Amino acid sequence: MKLTLQSDTLTWLDDRVGIETLKQLAQKKEVPLHRHTIWYYFGGMTLFLFAVQMITGVLLLFYYKPGAETAFESVQYIMADVRFGWLIRSIHSWSANLMIFTMFVHMFSVFLLKAYRAPRELTWVSGSLLFFIILGFGFSGYLLPWNKLAYFATKVGTEIAGVVPIIGQLVLRFLRGGDEVTGATLTRFYGLHVSVLPAITLLLLVAHILFVQRQGMSVPKKFESKKLPTMKFVPNFLLRDVLGWLLVFAALISLATIFPWELGEKADPFAPAPAGIKPEWFFLFMFQTLKLLPAKIGFMDGEVLGALAFGIGGMFWMLVPFLDRKAVNGKNHRLFTILGVIILLYIITMTVWGYLA
């Protein structure tokens, strides 16, 4: 009786969503095995951490109240009075940081293995856009507890956006909802964080996964001419992926319980900025660079030049598959490899320097 019910349910679903077709596609999918196969797992880990973000974010939404007079108090209530509220918030904060870290690793491994070459240009572009959106999540989410550090970090961050020529002041006023960081800024960041950014992310994520499924896993150029062994995606690779997720989840729970995310003091717009204020670690390399630039470089303000350089750098990064002409023709371009290594070392060095400064 039970088997018949299961069979009838599967047949009903298959008639409507084509489960059997999806099952056959999953069974056909194979993963190439070579010495760089380990980097394939970081995309799945990032996706897993994004799912953790969505689940814990929805749970926090049940109690969070946006607004300059209510945000801090509602987070205090979550941490002190809601059962396991402190743990959920801590998991949400730690998983955001781990997700950005795994995304960095995934993006640079794709770049250095030249997995962006034809016909995977759109996979790279959609992945780069996802990376920028995830940084937007980090920036908008940081203000939501409305504590002192978040308030002044947002003030500094939006001021940097404001120095961009022509559109800077428009962007600043759009982000702040006025000239200063106020409750209107918090409301805007809340709207971006819980509705606009998730909607864009889901669309890009679906496109990114479809591109990956359509083109398959990229193989480094030097292995393309060889007949590589393969592994079935279902169940072999998937089970290894799940094992990686479990390890990440164990690390996440350990971090969240041993080092619970602090709330700090409530934001006071009339108080002086805390000494040595810094942004989150994933913005630290940009912050430290802008700090080191002289006030004037030629006829331009150093800060303006730095903000423009980062904007152009981000655009260059996204368009790499179309600029690396040798990769388009299936050849290895050493210049782009060296450039990727230099950018990676620069980010690490400036982040460590900014943290220790």
Side-chain angles (χ1 to χ4, degrees):
M1 182 68 182
K2 190 177 175 183
L3 284 174
T4 307
L5 183 62
Q6 271 186 346
S7 176
D8 288 347
T9 306
L10 287 173
T11 305
W12 186 89
L13 283 171
D14 187 38
D15 289 342
R16 282 148 186 86
V17 295
I19 286 180
E20 196 57 38
T21 309
L22 294 174
K23 193 176 162 187
Q24 285 172 3
L25 282 173
Q27 284 173 341
K28 277 184 187 174
K29 188 173 170 64
E30 293 187 335
V31 179
L33 295 176
H34 48 83
R35 66 183 183 189
H36 297 297
T37 298
I38 190 168
W39 300 112
Y40 293 152
Y41 293 100
F42 282 89
M45 279 185 196
T46 308
L47 184 62
F48 169 73
L49 288 166
F50 179 70
V52 173
Q53 280 283 286
M54 295 290 282
I55 294 166
T56 52
V58 169
L59 291 174
L60 291 173
L61 275 180
F62 291 146
Y63 299 96
Y64 178 76
K65 295 176 183 173
E69 302 303 322
T70 54
F72 185 84
E73 287 74 9
S74 66
V75 178
Q76 257 185 338
Y77 176 76
I78 289 169
M79 295 179 69
D81 295 315
V82 177
R83 184 173 291 185
F84 298 115
W86 66 272
L87 184 61
I88 299 296
R89 177 173 179 260
S90 201
I91 289 174
H92 190 71
S93 301
W94 276 110
S95 61
N97 283 273
L98 286 178
M99 178 177 67
I100 292 172
F101 174 74
T102 56
M103 199 158 186
F104 261 109
V105 175
H106 178 53
M107 191 174 62
F108 273 96
S109 66
V110 170
F111 183 92
L112 293 172
L113 292 172
K114 303 289 176 73
Y116 55 73
R117 65 186 187 278
R120 297 181 177 81
E121 298 95 328
L122 292 179
T123 314
W124 172 265
V125 171
S126 58
S128 299
L129 288 172
L130 275 171
F131 176 72
F132 298 138
I133 296 286
I134 293 298
L135 290 183
F137 267 113
F139 186 60
S140 57
Y142 194 51
L143 181 66
L144 299 191
W146 197 246
N147 59 28
K148 190 188 278 186
L149 280 178
Y151 175 84
F152 285 103
T154 304
K155 200 171 177 181
V156 173
T158 48
E159 277 170 3
I160 291 172
V163 301
V164 176
I166 304 172
I167 59 166
Q169 286 303 310
L170 280 174
V171 174
L172 182 142
R173 285 185 61 81
F174 170 75
L175 289 173
R176 289 184 174 181
D179 292 324
E180 299 294 332
V181 177
T182 61
T185 317
L186 178 63
T187 309
R188 289 194 174 207
F189 275 41
Y190 173 73
L192 288 169
H193 194 76
V194 306
S195 59
V196 179
L197 294 179
I200 299 172
T201 303
L202 285 175
L203 286 174
L204 283 171
L205 197 56
V206 169
H208 190 69
I209 291 171
L210 284 175
F211 289 140
V212 172
Q213 297 309 311
R214 176 75 181 82
Q215 305 298 345
M217 302 273 198
S218 169
V219 175
K221 182 68 188 162
K222 59 185 171 186
F223 298 132
E224 273 187 346
S225 56
K226 298 177 183 174
K227 184 166 175 58
L228 293 170
T230 58
M231 177 199 297
K232 287 280 185 191
F233 184 83
V234 179
N236 303 38
F237 186 83
L238 185 61
L239 285 175
R240 286 166 173 77
D241 234 356
V242 171
L243 179 62
W245 299 350
L246 290 175
L247 291 173
V248 169
F249 193 63
L252 181 59
I253 295 293
S254 302
L255 286 167
T257 49
I258 298 170
F259 306 105
W261 209 263
E262 299 290 336
L263 178 56
E265 296 174 39
K266 185 175 179 177
D268 180 0
F270 300 106
I277 189 167
K278 294 171 188 172
E280 289 287 83
W281 66 269
F282 38 89
F283 290 123
L284 213 45
F285 72 98
M286 290 189 270
F287 178 75
Q288 185 63 18
T289 304
L290 295 176
K291 258 178 68 178
L292 293 175
L293 287 174
K296 281 280 181 188
I297 301 176
F299 63 92
M300 291 184 76
D301 288 344
E303 212 172 44
V304 174
L305 198 64
L308 278 175
F310 281 119
I312 294 168
M315 187 63 72
F316 169 82
W317 189 257
M318 196 170 66
L319 298 177
V320 153
F322 309 101
L323 301 173
D324 186 356
R325 301 308 301 170
K326 285 193 177 178
V328 171
N329 299 320
K331 296 176 183 171
N332 192 16
H333 201 314
R334 274 184 172 273
L335 178 65
F336 278 82
T337 306
I338 294 168
L339 193 62
V341 172
I342 290 173
I343 292 171
L344 182 59
L345 290 175
Y346 180 81
I347 290 174
I348 293 171
T349 305
M350 295 307 275
T351 302
V352 173
W353 190 352
Y355 181 75
L356 297 174

